[in-house]
Amino acid sequence: MTHQILLTPGDGIGPEVIEETQRVLGWYAKNRNFAFHTDTAAVGGNAYEKFGTPGPDETIAKAKAADAVLFGAVGGPQWDKLPFASKPEQGLLRLRKDLGLFANLRPALCFDALKDASSLKPEIVSGLDILIVRELTGGVYFGEPKETTTLPDGQKRAVDTQVYTTHEIARIARVAFELAGLRSKRVASAEKSNVMVTGVLWREVVSEIHKKEFPHIELSHVLADNCAMQLVRNPKQYDVIVTDNLFGDVLSDEAAQLTGSIGMLPSASLGAKQANGRQAALYEPIHGSAPDIAGKGLANPIAGILSFAMCLRYSFGRIEDAQLLERAVDRVLAEGFRTADIMQPGMTKVGTAQMTDAILKALDKLAV
Ligand code: NAD
């Protein structure tokens, strides 16, 4: 079976990290019987330059037809002054919306070789492996009304609206419980049921789905502000955290920082499983387009490469192949290879392509 993969490199370091990921895809084709076909599509600032929109229809159509999208990054200072609807990030938001990617999976994994790079004490983060499941298409980022009006006295008044329905909460809860079933069977659900009615509904629906469908999984509820505190106090108490769009945005960035560098962390955004087994999926590093280092061969390619590992696991069910790639990354870090963002004294500083060279060599060694 030939997997159809769409590459959307985007802007800044996006094309650089996607190029490295393609080399890893090539390794899997050659050594692990991974049959795939790739196509490329424009998104972000470069799509705006070429097509006048950051999310062209053609890109959306190709993404819908693909089994998985490997996304680089979008954005850059040259597009900062564009109207809101033309900004590069709108290309990514359109992909998420049009593909119905409601579940955002962000692992926060601390590689042992990098435990000293965290801003927390090594013993707090050593062995850390948590998964944040964030609702991605609802909540306050999309709720209506969303507007700024001018009051009779000349003041301005801005309104965002937090909205959730039973269906939206139930489907993200199911994703979290199912994933917890493949891990250590614990879910913590974070909301603000003490002050928000959406939080009350969130807690009720998650509890209901748990009771009816996943009684074998351990469920705890935590207020989102307490969760933020616990993440820096004792993050290893968590396995899977499920939360809404806004809290998920904040908590997953906080969790990312626990692990050292933004250049290390992948993410997956998944849609609903359809009757024919298909599931829309987009994989991307959590970092942005890093305009400060773009085009210099300095970008850490690991977040992009680990996003492909997530793709192997979630879109293609190739768990062993995903683990192999994760072990290869672990190995090159243990061998002391470091891009500038994760450089530590006594280690070997490498650029983007050399880091991938080392990962490919590690794959060769581990695969025998
Ligand atoms: P950023 O993630 O691009 O960069 C933050 C810092 O981390 C920079 O110093 C950068 O050099 C460094 N960094 C990021 N990725 C790295 C990597 N792989 N290797 C080494 N160092 C890395 O965030 P920012 O500077 O806030 O945003 C830059 C642009 O990216 C903005 O236009 C922003 O809107 C956009 N952005 C896009 C996405 C996305 O495409 N999903 C996400 C976040 C930000």
Side-chain angles (χ1 to χ4, degrees):
M1 180 183 169
T2 303
H3 301 302
Q4 305 296 330
I5 298 179
L6 180 69
L7 306 171
T8 52
D11 309 317
I13 62 167
E16 296 168 51
V17 300
I18 289 292
E19 196 179 322
E20 302 307 312
T21 308
Q22 278 183 276
R23 295 176 62 201
V24 177
L25 258 83
W27 188 91
Y28 274 84
K30 195 165 155 218
N31 298 284
R32 304 289 288 192
N33 217 8
F34 179 67
F36 68 93
H37 174 263
T38 55
D39 196 355
T40 304
V43 69
N46 72 74
Y48 173 78
E49 301 296 343
K50 219 166 150 189
F51 302 105
T53 165
D57 292 344
E58 186 189 290
T59 300
I60 304 294
K62 282 184 176 182
K64 282 185 176 167
D67 295 315
V69 180
L70 297 181
F71 185 94
V74 291
Q78 62 272 53
W79 301 296
D80 277 354
K81 297 226 157 64
L82 287 177
F84 198 70
S86 302
K87 283 191 188 291
E89 290 73 10
Q90 293 302 315
L92 177 58
L93 290 184
R94 181 167 181 210
L95 274 167
R96 286 176 179 165
K97 193 161 178 273
D98 288 14
L99 268 62
L101 304 173
F102 70 88
N104 185 225
L105 278 45
R106 285 187 42 171
L109 188 73
C110 185
F111 288 95
D112 216 47
L114 290 185
K115 61 179 190 281
D116 296 316
S118 171
S119 44
L120 296 191
K121 293 188 195 111
E123 62 269 26
I124 306 268
V125 292
S126 171
L128 179 75
D129 178 5
I130 59 184
L131 179 66
I132 299 198
V133 178
R134 165 186 169 196
E135 199 291 324
L136 200 59
T137 52
V140 74
Y141 293 168
F142 295 99
E144 297 285 347
K146 188 179 196 65
E147 61 188 13
T148 306
T149 50
T150 305
L151 298 175
D153 66 358
Q155 285 192 72
K156 288 203 167 159
R157 180 172 183 270
V159 179
D160 292 294
T161 306
Q162 165 88 338
V163 192
Y164 271 109
T165 62
T166 309
H167 166 71
E168 286 172 318
I169 302 168
R171 66 181 182 175
I172 194 74
R174 285 192 184 97
V175 171
F177 287 127
E178 274 166 16
L179 290 170
L182 305 173
R183 298 166 52 97
S184 64
K185 302 193 170 38
R186 285 182 294 123
V187 170
S189 169
E191 30 61 10
K192 288 284 287 176
S193 55
N194 53 341
V195 285
M196 296 171 77
V197 288
T198 46
V200 173
L201 183 66
W202 185 279
R203 190 175 282 224
E204 277 171 16
V205 175
V206 171
S207 301
E208 186 82 7
I209 297 290
H210 173 246
K211 202 166 126 199
K212 279 198 191 138
E213 300 175 34
F214 300 92
H216 54 290
I217 304 285
E218 187 187 317
L219 170 66
S220 58
H221 300 280
V222 58
L223 296 177
D225 50 340
N226 185 22
C227 186
M229 189 179 72
Q230 296 299 332
L231 273 174
V232 285
R233 197 181 71 86
N234 176 19
K236 282 186 267 181
Q237 69 184 284
Y238 294 122
D239 180 33
V240 173
I241 297 174
V242 62
T243 189
D244 76 11
N245 203 345
L246 173 63
F247 297 137
D249 197 357
V250 177
L251 294 175
S252 60
D253 265 17
E254 184 190 2
Q257 179 51 35
L258 300 177
T259 70
S261 167
I262 199 164
M264 297 291 302
L265 291 177
S267 75
S269 301
L270 307 176
K273 269 208 183 95
Q274 290 159 22
N276 61 7
R278 276 180 66 89
Q279 182 175 32
L282 181 145
Y283 300 88
E284 57 172 323
I286 67 156
H287 60 71
S289 59
D292 52 335
I293 56 165
K296 297 182 180 161
L298 295 176
N300 186 345
I302 292 179
I305 288 171
L306 289 177
S307 297
F308 174 56
M310 290 190 86
C311 173
L312 286 168
R313 179 176 280 117
Y314 295 117
S315 281
F316 304 135
R318 288 176 166 249
I319 312 290
E320 277 178 24
D321 281 339
Q323 287 167 342
L324 179 67
L325 188 46
E326 287 154 0
R327 278 178 26 235
V329 169
D330 202 15
R331 185 170 175 142
V332 299
L333 295 172
E335 285 169 350
F337 292 100
R338 298 283 189 277
T339 42
D341 56 313
I342 51 172
M343 186 58 194
Q344 291 164 298
M347 301 292 155
T348 311
K349 195 166 172 185
V350 293
T352 310
Q354 294 103 305
M355 180 58 97
T356 315
D357 293 344
I359 293 170
L360 295 177
K361 271 199 197 116
L363 281 170
D364 282 338
K365 284 186 208 147
L366 288 167
V368 287

